[in-house]
């Protein structure tokens, strides 16, 4: 039996290949880190009798989900400050706590903790945004999850860096250290228009072009942010970023809740990608993004969870469902953003946003083997008329049984294979106890 070849044998196969629906009687062959074959079960069993076999009798096999916006380390702040507006939440709770506690070790632990949650929820790629990029990279490599690591920059000092150039220098040092790691890519990540100057935006634009990076930025998240931008600069933030040359196919614009018609057309024309974070936007009362209009305009939309301090659940199945339901409820049109489109946003949309559409987002020969199996055998998932719609409107992250990232089985029957989750949970509890004690003192 070949150790390098694995034949996955599901009941249903959802490749997400454009124009292809749910298939039955199919199998998928992983050879090394890539998908080597997708085809009729019997034919592949005969042709690859030496391959290891994984029977998935009541499962949907599909591409791994891509979380297009998260702050992984902030899982250590889950539930620390709920039911608040964005700026109150940031200024009076999150930023003071981060100033006191965030470190390389803290970020590494929180990132590893979030990687466990992600993998157990069928997420194979994270587009992360935080400080201490070396810590993010180390955690991703330990967990075996794919990660876009941020070179995150704001214009004021933190416990991580003294100012914009220091953030950039430290980020580029991490980039050079981990360059060539197959699970990692790096992004140029200005935090937001209200925390980054024109000069810094231009530096990050040029850095992205020089190193072929995507740009990852919170934009138009709240109405107050837009009004503040007009007061400070005389124009809306989107127009400001366009004048600075940041709106193009590199840009992953996060949230984008408050857009007018002209800005939607601008996104379509410039090739801007949107990372839609439905649950976080609802919880912070930021509003409901015009995803149906963006989709109609031809804008590539991806889905994200945001961080565990603002959303609490880093659950992409929840985000897929929320995206579909909010689009319908906000437009009064039940036919918009159907199940297939919602799944596309969480797979192909995320891959395209990261500039990885050639390698990720669908189960096709030659692509990297980032694959998940979702078990629909539980009574709450039955009966199954349309397994793709079942993934959106019924199934949950708890139904993910197995995950392969780059051909490696990193979740096996709900058990993480790369690290001891119990030990990580123990470290998390110790760290949180220290933080609570520090707050009380």
């Amino acid at each position: 039996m070949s150790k390098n070849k694995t034949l996955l044998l599901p009941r249903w196969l959802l490749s997400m290949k454009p124009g292809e629906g749910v298939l039955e009687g199919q199998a998928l062959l992983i050879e090394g880190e890539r998908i080597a074959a997708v085809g009729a079960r019997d034919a592949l069993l005969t042709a690859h009798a030496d391959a290891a076999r994984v029977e998935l009798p009541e499962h949907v096999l599909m591409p791994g989900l891509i979380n297009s916006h998260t702050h992984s380390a902030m899982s250590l702040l889950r539930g620390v400050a709920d039911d608040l507006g964005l700026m109150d939440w940031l200024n009076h709770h999150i930023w003071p706590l981060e100033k006191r506690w965030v470190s390389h070790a803290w970020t590494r632990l929180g990132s590893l903790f979030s990687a466990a949650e992600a993998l157990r929820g069928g997420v194979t790629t994270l587009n992360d945004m935080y400080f201490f990029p070396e810590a993010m990279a180390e955690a991703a490599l330990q967990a075996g999850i794919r990660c876009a690591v941020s070179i995150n920059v704001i214009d004021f000092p933190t416990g991580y860096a003294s100012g914009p150039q220091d953030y950039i220098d430290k980020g580029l040092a991490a980039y050079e250290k981990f360059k060539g790691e197959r699970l990692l890519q790096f992004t140029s990540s200005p935090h937001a228009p209200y925390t980054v100057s024109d000069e810094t935006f231009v530096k990050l634009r040029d850095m992205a072009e020089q190193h072929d990076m995507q740009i990852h930025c919170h934009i138009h998240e709240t109405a107050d942010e837009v009004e503040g931008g007009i007061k400070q600069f005389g124009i809306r933030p989107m127009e400001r970023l366009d004048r600075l040359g940041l709106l193009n196919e590199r840009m992953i614009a996060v949230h984008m809740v408050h857009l007018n018609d002209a800005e939607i057309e601008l996104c379509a024309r410039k090739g801007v990608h949107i990372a839609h974070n439905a649950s976080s936007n609802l919880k912070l009362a930021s509003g409901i993004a015009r995803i149906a209009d963006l989709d109609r305009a031809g804008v590539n939309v991806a889905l994200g969870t945001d961080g565990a301090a603002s959303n609490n659940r880093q659950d992409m199945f929840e985000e897929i469902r929320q995206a579909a339901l909010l689009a319908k409820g906000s437009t009064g049109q039940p036919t918009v953003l159907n199940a297939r489109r919602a799944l596309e946003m969480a797979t192909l949309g995320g891959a395209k946003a990261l500039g990885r559409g050639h390698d990720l987002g669908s189960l096709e020969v030659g692509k990297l083997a980032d694959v998940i199996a979702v078990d629909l055998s539980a009574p709450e998932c039955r009966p199954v008329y349309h397994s793709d719609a079942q993934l959106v409107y019924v199934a949950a992250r708890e139904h993910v049984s197995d995950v392969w990232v780059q051909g490696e089985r990193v979740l096996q029957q709900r058990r993480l294979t790369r690290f001891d989750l119990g030990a990580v949970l123990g470290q998390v509890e110790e760290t949180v106890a220290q933080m609570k004690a520090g707050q009380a003192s």
Side-chain angles (χ1 to χ4, degrees):
M1 184 177 293
S2 173
K3 293 183 179 179
N4 296 320
K5 293 167 65 176
T6 303
L7 202 53
L8 308 184
L9 303 163
R11 177 168 176 182
W12 299 280
L13 190 144
L14 179 61
S15 71
M16 298 308 300
K17 182 179 178 181
E20 184 171 273
V22 180
L23 302 175
E24 295 192 52
Q26 300 286 296
L28 181 144
L29 179 70
I30 297 173
E31 189 165 357
E33 64 182 24
R34 295 191 178 268
I35 298 169
V38 181
R41 174 189 175 106
D42 292 344
L44 288 183
L45 280 169
T46 300
H48 302 281
D50 60 334
R53 299 179 185 180
V54 180
E55 290 284 356
L56 300 162
E58 295 296 332
H59 300 64
V60 180
L61 201 67
M62 65 177 291
L65 304 178
I66 296 173
N67 186 343
S68 297
H69 177 66
T70 189
H71 308 282
S72 286
M74 295 180 81
S75 57
L76 297 178
L77 298 175
R78 192 196 318 266
V80 76
D82 292 324
D83 306 321
L84 300 168
L86 176 64
M87 297 318 296
D88 182 12
W89 178 78
L90 282 173
N91 286 312
H92 301 124
H93 300 274
I94 299 304
W95 284 341
L97 282 167
E98 288 180 327
K99 185 175 182 180
R100 181 167 185 181
W101 294 107
V102 174
S103 65
H104 180 104
W106 192 96
T107 302
R108 193 183 192 286
L109 176 62
S111 298
L112 189 59
F113 187 38
S114 283
E117 183 177 3
L119 291 170
R120 283 163 53 86
V123 173
T124 54
T125 300
L126 299 168
N127 185 30
D128 217 341
M129 180 189 278
Y130 212 62
F131 307 119
F132 293 96
E134 286 193 21
M136 278 188 271
E138 289 167 4
L141 292 175
Q142 182 178 350
I145 196 167
R146 195 176 304 285
C147 185
V149 177
S150 68
I151 299 177
N152 196 21
V153 180
I154 56 178
D155 264 18
F156 52 84
T158 63
Y160 169 63
S162 60
Q165 194 58 50
D166 196 22
Y167 289 102
I168 292 170
D169 291 343
K170 288 178 175 175
L172 284 174
Y175 166 75
E176 291 296 334
K177 179 177 179 179
F178 291 99
K179 191 161 58 175
E181 288 285 356
R182 302 274 292 150
L183 286 176
L184 304 179
Q185 68 184 87
F186 278 70
T187 63
S188 173
S189 299
H191 173 259
Y194 56 89
T195 55
V196 176
S197 67
D198 285 2
E199 180 184 2
T200 302
F201 267 124
V202 169
K203 286 183 179 180
L204 292 170
R205 177 202 70 193
D206 293 347
M207 181 180 75
E209 292 174 358
Q210 181 181 350
H211 297 286
D212 193 22
M213 296 174 179
Q214 297 297 90
I215 301 172
H216 183 193
C217 184
H218 303 93
I219 307 172
H220 281 225
E221 182 173 1
T222 66
D224 287 346
E225 173 200 332
V226 176
E227 291 304 312
I230 293 170
K231 287 179 182 177
Q232 185 175 0
F233 297 97
I235 52 176
R236 291 165 66 89
M238 281 289 285
E239 184 177 349
R240 175 183 163 216
L241 295 183
D242 189 32
R243 290 183 183 182
L244 294 172
L246 276 96
L247 299 188
N248 53 44
E249 68 284 349
R250 294 189 187 278
M251 174 60 77
I252 305 170
V254 182
H255 299 298
M256 298 286 272
V257 175
H258 297 276
L259 297 178
N260 57 36
D261 291 346
E263 287 161 345
I264 290 174
E265 189 278 330
L266 178 66
C267 288
R269 181 160 41 86
K270 296 282 188 172
V272 171
H273 311 280
I274 309 294
H276 177 39
N277 299 260
S279 297
S280 178
N281 294 338
L282 288 174
K283 186 166 179 282
L284 292 168
S286 300
I288 299 172
R290 296 173 59 185
I291 297 304
D293 292 335
L294 286 159
D295 193 40
R296 272 194 291 263
V299 178
N300 178 52
V301 178
L303 303 182
T305 61
D306 213 341
S310 63
N311 180 354
N312 302 59
R313 293 172 63 93
Q314 295 175 97
D315 181 352
M316 279 293 289
F317 276 87
E318 175 75 8
E319 297 309 318
I320 294 168
R321 187 169 188 268
Q322 286 275 30
L325 297 184
L326 274 177
K328 298 171 191 300
S330 63
T331 62
Q333 300 173 43
T335 57
V336 303
L337 198 59
N338 62 25
R340 174 76 185 205
R341 283 296 297 127
L343 289 167
E344 285 173 349
M345 289 176 178
T347 52
L348 288 165
K352 186 177 178 182
L354 287 169
R356 302 295 301 276
H358 61 290
D359 255 348
L360 303 172
S362 60
L363 304 183
E364 298 183 66
V365 172
K367 285 196 170 186
L368 290 165
D370 288 11
V371 186
I372 67 173
V374 185
D375 186 355
L376 298 184
S377 64
E380 63 268 20
C381 293
R382 311 299 283 201
V384 181
Y385 292 104
H386 305 284
S387 57
D388 49 357
Q390 208 82 339
L391 293 168
V392 177
Y393 300 123
V394 179
R397 61 181 175 180
E398 291 80 10
H399 298 117
V400 175
S401 64
D402 297 84
V403 174
W404 290 261
V405 178
Q406 207 156 282
E408 180 183 349
R409 197 176 188 178
V410 291
L411 186 75
Q412 183 171 356
Q413 297 177 357
R414 300 291 299 155
R415 183 182 62 83
L416 294 164
T417 64
R418 278 290 200 99
F419 61 97
D420 183 345
L421 181 55
V424 171
L425 282 168
Q427 294 173 42
V428 168
E429 291 300 322
E430 288 178 15
T431 298
V432 171
Q434 292 171 5
M435 292 170 61
K436 287 179 177 178
Q439 283 180 284
S441 62

